[in-house]
Amino acid sequence: MFMDHVQIEKEIGARTYNNYRQFMTGIWNEMKDRGYITDNPWSRIKKIKETDKNRLMLSNYDAQVILDEIFKSNKMLFLSVLLLYYCFIRPEEQRRMRVHLIDLKSGTIYIPGDISKNKKSETVTIPKAILPFLYEIGVDTWHRNDYIFGKGMKPHPDIQCGSNALNESHKKVITKLYQEKRLRSITGISIYSWKDTGGMSLVSSGVDIYEIMRQMRHSDLSTTQKYLKSL
């Protein structure tokens, strides 16, 4: 029931599904080894086939067209894209972030383990190029304990934006641009395309792979290498 729930209702991909299965199998194997249980039902849950990511990196032209439109129409969505492209902070992590996690003076963002995908507390660097925009939209004036992407995709003291709000807002923008024939195709383009594009941009710029690993908050170099190879 749990695996059906995360696959159907949460719409997770094959890789995440298999990671869940492996994690739960490991826990129950440990309990079996300690004599708490006699059977591990997770061993009967089959892996599902993993396919290549169904998303594209953005060309320079498409990226500029989309960014220009987002900047004009939705500054908070623009912030989300910057956090994904430069800091590799996933949408689900973003919607759980509070203002105080952004330290403009030190140029860093702290991601606590309770909101991080890998459950580890880590810090990423804010590139100097985007600091002016953060001041422009008033990040330094927002209440410290507000959710950054709260109700209506604005800072809010208690309510986060919807679990798919950032992705849906991005989808509306690219759909509009496609209908206006300013983008030739939007197949494979999602908000996560900015993360992939940002990763390849660092590689193309000659950034040391260990720096990329730290900025992406990967636990080891092999994870970074595997991710970049998949692109």
Side-chain angles (χ1 to χ4, degrees), residues 45-187:
I45 302 292
K46 295 180 180 179
K47 285 185 177 182
I48 56 178
K49 185 177 180 180
E50 297 182 16
T51 57
D52 293 336
K53 294 175 182 177
N54 185 30
R55 65 188 193 224
L56 297 177
M57 287 180 289
L58 297 163
S59 67
N60 290 337
Y61 173 81
D62 286 352
Q64 194 61 57
V65 169
I66 297 170
L67 277 180
D68 287 346
E69 181 64 26
I70 291 175
F71 185 79
K72 287 189 299 183
S73 62
N74 191 332
K75 293 294 195 298
M76 290 302 291
L77 180 59
F78 190 79
L79 171 61
S80 175
V81 167
L82 294 182
L83 293 177
L84 197 54
Y85 180 88
Y86 286 106
C87 303
F88 307 101
I89 303 175
R90 302 168 183 85
E92 182 58 28
E93 295 171 333
Q94 291 184 24
R95 62 184 289 268
R96 299 171 67 188
M97 285 174 57
R98 295 186 185 267
V99 175
H100 67 82
L101 298 176
I102 299 180
D103 188 337
L104 296 178
K105 290 183 179 180
S106 68
T108 59
I109 300 175
Y110 176 67
I111 312 295
D114 61 344
I115 72 170
S116 173
K117 181 181 178 180
N118 65 9
K119 307 304 178 186
K120 294 182 179 179
S121 298
E122 293 167 297
T123 300
V124 297
T125 300
I126 304 172
K128 292 181 180 179
I130 69 173
L131 279 171
F133 175 74
L134 300 183
Y135 281 108
E136 177 188 331
I137 61 174
V139 172
D140 56 322
T141 66
W142 294 345
H143 193 281
R144 283 178 49 81
N145 289 323
D146 281 2
Y147 284 111
I148 297 171
F149 296 98
K151 185 178 181 181
M153 279 181 57
K154 297 178 181 179
H156 194 281
D158 305 308
I159 304 174
Q160 304 169 8
C161 69
S163 60
N164 210 30
L166 295 171
N167 186 51
E168 285 300 315
S169 296
H170 185 268
K171 186 176 180 180
K172 286 180 181 178
V173 171
I174 62 173
T175 300
K176 175 178 180 289
L177 292 171
Y178 176 69
Q179 291 172 343
E180 294 173 353
K181 301 187 185 306
R182 287 194 276 166
L183 291 176
R184 291 184 179 181
S185 173
I186 57 174
T187 301

